[in-house]
């Protein structure tokens, strides 16, 4: 490539030196008008439409508690994504499945009905919006904003049974009467779970999305809403932060994967019993599939393991496979376990390819 470029440059200089009037050629001015700006945005939209799906398919994304934003109590496994674009308008359709802890009570006609379990689901979401981009020279942060043009379409269906518990004699009577004349408590629980899950997805999608890139480190983060130009999104759940992962007894958490071609080290800090492992994403997918189907966890090939309570560092050597975090609490645990699994931001940025610009002055 370099030899070809030098040859072309030499040929261009030779042509220029043979100019008949001896005057040097005048280069046309660079394009700095609105047309060039619009074309750049269209190019970004075209690339984003192609690459965005590649970045999220077969990834496990954290679902935060609707009541406590700093607690992750669920997982969304994206296993399908399509996109299309027209100018700067992009439409994404995402297919996935997952699970989240549900602890809700509903009072109906003097009775109390409760759902307290991991609700498993399949989900399809279609969202259309416009892409815009910006760059802040002082912070070396590039931003890509996705602004919805209309409300997203979300179709969510629970998987398996949802156990609806009745509290008190009157609740049992109401439940029995309801099962005869309208909806049973179980069906009401399914409908409520669908409604709550759909509402949560719509809340997360309604304000759009900001993707930020720190050119000095290579760290890429995303956040709901439209962040100001130059402001990085908050740390991801697997970066050092205040976010806690929480598992009920018998629960499963899968997050990632992340690149580990130069190795990977995470710090685990558990406040209760939990088994944490690093494994290739294919093993993580098998574990998630078995959990969704209600089957025992298949035999996995862990790259590194640790058991809580307590703290430990898990390290793996260079791996060609993307590496995911898999955590599980024993069914015999007496209460929920909070824990964290953190990889340094600098190591994540290096795994993404490292700095994209020289930032020695920062």
């Amino acid at each position: 490539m370099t030899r070809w470029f030098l040859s072309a440059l030499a040929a261009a200089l030779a042509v220029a030196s043979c100019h008949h009037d001896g005057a040097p050629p005048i280069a046309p001015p660079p394009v700095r008008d609105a047309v060039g700006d619009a074309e750049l945005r269209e190019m970004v939209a075209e690339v984003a439409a192609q690459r965005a799906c590649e970045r999220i398919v077969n990834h496990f994304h954290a679902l935060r508690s609707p009541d406590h934003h700093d607690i992750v109590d669920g997982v969304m496994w994206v296993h399908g994504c399509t996109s299309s674009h027209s100018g700067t308008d992009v439409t994404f359709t995402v297919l996935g499945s997952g699970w989240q802890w549900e602890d809700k009570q509903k009072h109906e006609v003097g009775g109390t009905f409760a759902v307290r379990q991991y609700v498993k689901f399949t989900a399809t979401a279609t969202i259309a919006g416009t892409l815009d981009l910006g760059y802040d020279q002082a912070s070396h942060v590039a931003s890509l904003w996705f602004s919805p043009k209309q409300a997203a379409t979300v179709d969510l269906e629970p998987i398996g049974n949802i156990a609806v518990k009745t509290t008190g004699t009157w609740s049992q009577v109401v439940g029995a009467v309801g099962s005869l004349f309208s909806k049973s408590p179980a069906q009401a629980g399914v409908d409520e779970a669908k409604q709550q899950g759909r509402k949560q997805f719509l809340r997360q999608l309604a304000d759009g999305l900001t993707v930020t890139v720190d050119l000095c480190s290579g760290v890429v983060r995303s956040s709901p809403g439209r962040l100001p130009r130059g402001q990085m999104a908050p740390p991801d759940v697997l970066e050092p932060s205040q976010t806690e992962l929480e598992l009920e007894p018998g629960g499963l958490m899968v997050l990632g994967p992340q690149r580990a071609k130069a190795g990977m080290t995470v710090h685990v800090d558990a406040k209760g019993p939990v088994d944490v492992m690093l494994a290739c994403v294919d093993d993580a997918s098998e574990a998630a599939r078995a959990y969704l189907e209600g089957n025992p966890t298949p035999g996995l090939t862990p790259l590194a393991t640790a058991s809580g309570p307590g703290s430990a560092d898990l390290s793996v050597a260079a791996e060609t496979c993307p590496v995911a975090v898999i955590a599980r609490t024993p069914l015999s645990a007496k209460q929920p376990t909070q824990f964290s699994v953190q990889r340094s931001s600098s190591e994540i940025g290096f795994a993404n390819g490292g700095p994209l610009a020289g930032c020695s002055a920062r």
Side-chain angles (χ1 to χ4, degrees), residues 38-242:
E39 290 173 347
L40 175 61
R41 281 163 168 74
E42 290 182 11
M43 181 196 73
V44 171
E46 184 174 353
V47 173
Q50 174 67 25
R51 299 298 182 187
C53 283
E54 296 177 4
R55 289 185 62 88
I56 65 173
V57 168
N58 210 25
H59 279 61
F60 297 86
H61 303 270
L63 295 179
R64 296 178 180 270
S65 169
D67 301 320
H68 304 281
H69 182 73
D70 287 338
I71 293 181
V72 172
D73 61 357
V75 176
M76 173 70 174
W77 177 21
V78 176
H79 38 71
C81 177
T82 58
S83 63
S84 61
H85 75 95
S86 175
T88 58
D89 293 339
V90 182
T91 300
F92 295 100
T93 298
V94 179
L95 297 84
S97 53
W99 57 91
Q100 188 165 25
W101 181 252
E102 188 77 19
D103 189 357
K104 298 289 184 182
Q105 285 191 350
K106 188 170 184 178
H107 303 282
E108 187 106 11
V109 201
T112 301
F113 306 90
V115 174
R116 194 171 189 274
Q117 69 177 82
Y118 280 105
V119 174
K120 303 172 184 178
F121 60 85
T122 61
T124 302
T126 299
I127 182 169
T130 301
L131 288 176
D132 200 4
L133 71 156
Y135 177 67
D136 181 71
Q137 189 173 10
S139 62
H140 301 284
V141 170
S143 302
L144 180 68
W145 296 287
F146 178 78
S147 303
K149 297 179 65 177
Q150 59 196 37
T153 301
V154 177
D155 182 21
L156 185 142
E157 290 292 333
I159 299 174
N161 296 324
I162 295 180
V164 180
K165 298 181 180 179
T166 57
T167 304
T169 303
W170 179 243
S171 298
Q172 295 173 8
V173 172
V174 172
V177 173
S179 65
L180 291 175
F181 293 101
S182 56
K183 293 181 180 179
S184 68
Q187 183 59 47
V190 170
D191 293 344
E192 182 70 14
K194 290 170 62 175
Q195 183 178 0
Q196 292 298 325
R198 186 173 180 274
K199 284 182 179 179
Q200 183 171 349
F201 275 101
L202 288 175
R203 281 197 301 267
Q204 293 181 353
L205 297 173
D207 295 330
L209 179 73
T210 301
V211 178
T212 57
V213 183
D214 184 343
L215 272 63
C216 299
S217 66
V219 171
V220 181
R221 297 176 184 157
S222 61
S223 176
R226 186 181 179 95
L227 298 179
R229 183 192 303 268
Q231 178 179 326
M232 278 292 288
D236 187 44
V237 294
L238 293 181
E239 288 184 73
S241 68
Q242 298 300 315

Side-chain angles (χ1 to χ4, degrees), residues 207-292:
D207 295 330
L209 179 73
T210 301
V211 178
T212 57
V213 183
D214 184 343
L215 272 63
C216 299
S217 66
V219 171
V220 181
R221 297 176 184 157
S222 61
S223 176
R226 186 181 179 95
L227 298 179
R229 183 192 303 268
Q231 178 179 326
M232 278 292 288
D236 187 44
V237 294
L238 293 181
E239 288 184 73
S241 68
Q242 298 300 315
T243 299
E244 293 280 356
L245 312 178
E246 184 173 274
L247 279 177
E248 298 288 329
L252 176 74
M253 183 78 68
V254 184
L255 294 172
Q258 294 186 353
R259 296 186 181 98
K261 292 184 177 180
M264 180 173 179
T265 298
V266 300
H267 179 73
V268 178
D269 188 7
K271 301 174 183 177
V274 62
D275 295 322
V276 181
M277 72 168 63
L278 300 180
C280 289
V281 66
D282 287 347
D283 276 347
S285 299
E286 289 300 318
R289 185 174 293 106
Y291 184 73
L292 287 167

